[in-house]
Amino acid sequence: NNYTTALTYLEESLAIRKKIGDKSGEGKSLNNSSQIYKAYGDYITALTYLEQSLSIRQELNDRYGEGSILNNIGSIYVELGQDEKALSVFEQGLKIFCEIGDKIGEAAILCNISRVFKVRKDYTKALAYLERSLKIERTSSNKFGEARVLGNIGKIYLVQGEDIITASVYLKQSLAIQNEIGDNAGKGTTLSDLGMSAHVQGDDITALMYFKQGLAIFRETGNKPEDGTICWNIGQIYANQGDFVSA
């Protein structure tokens, strides 16, 4: 969970794999490094690494690796606000996973496709993709994926603002699994969402509790984009309470 330390080791690994001509390992190191840069909010560098990794996967005819990289590239395009590109790349990856029969990869991309429709505020379609993904994750007993999808379903209900209770139910289910499997990075995001859910319901004491727990995780892992978002939310609560010093 320490991104800075992880990146140092990954860059060393990448240099060694290039030196010895380990193309498969080089592709893995490039992909792993890209996820650290993504966590830092450096999406352009992340995309550069991913495109290099994709080229290697295609060169090696590694269909699973190609599908996985396309999934990660699509996620970067979502972050960059390029939803048309994201959807196109996701669909390429989904086709590959369906062709090779990789259900876990299929579930992961279905979950990410939902993000495109969430951005477009087509929540019905977003939920439909998430329900398909959740069914696969549960059938496959993939706890990590199940927690991720439950969290995303909770987010859809949260942003719609019409059924915050349902949002909280899904988010708490996600958090329980993340605690069980030790998914600290995912836990930080879920705590942040639970904080927002509590805030919307007018329970700022609980909201601050969740936000502060999430902030501690983001600072531990060096996740600057999420750190900034959660600090803003905490500051807004204190400001609304007239506590401008804490804000």
Side-chain angles (χ1 to χ4, degrees), residues 150-151 153-173 175 188-211 230 233 237:
L150 287 167
I153 292 174
K155 282 185 180 181
I156 297 296
Y157 284 109
L158 185 58
V159 297
Q160 287 186 97
E162 298 173 357
D163 195 348
I164 304 302
I165 301 299
T166 299
S168 296
V169 169
Y170 278 103
L171 290 168
K172 287 176 181 177
Q173 289 178 29
L175 183 63
T189 299
T190 304
L191 286 166
S192 178
D193 291 333
L194 279 166
M196 185 55 66
S197 174
H199 174 60
V200 171
Q201 294 178 74
D203 185 355
D204 282 344
I205 293 175
T206 301
L208 283 171
M209 178 191 73
Y210 282 130
F211 282 144
I230 212 166
N233 290 333
I237 289 177

Side-chain angles (χ1 to χ4, degrees), residues 107-136:
I109 284 200
L110 287 169
C111 181
N112 277 333
I113 289 174
S114 76
R115 295 171 60 200
V116 174
F117 292 103
K118 177 189 171 190
V119 168
R120 295 177 177 179
K121 298 185 179 181
D122 187 344
Y123 301 125
T124 300
K125 190 167 285 188
L127 283 171
Y129 275 100
L130 287 168
E131 292 294 347
R132 286 172 61 189
S133 179
L134 182 61
K135 183 178 180 180
I136 295 171

Side-chain angles (χ1 to χ4, degrees), residues 53-62 66 70:
S53 182
L54 179 62
S55 178
I56 291 172
R57 294 297 168 205
Q58 291 170 335
E59 178 186 336
L60 296 174
N61 196 30
D62 176 1
E66 183 180 357
L70 286 167

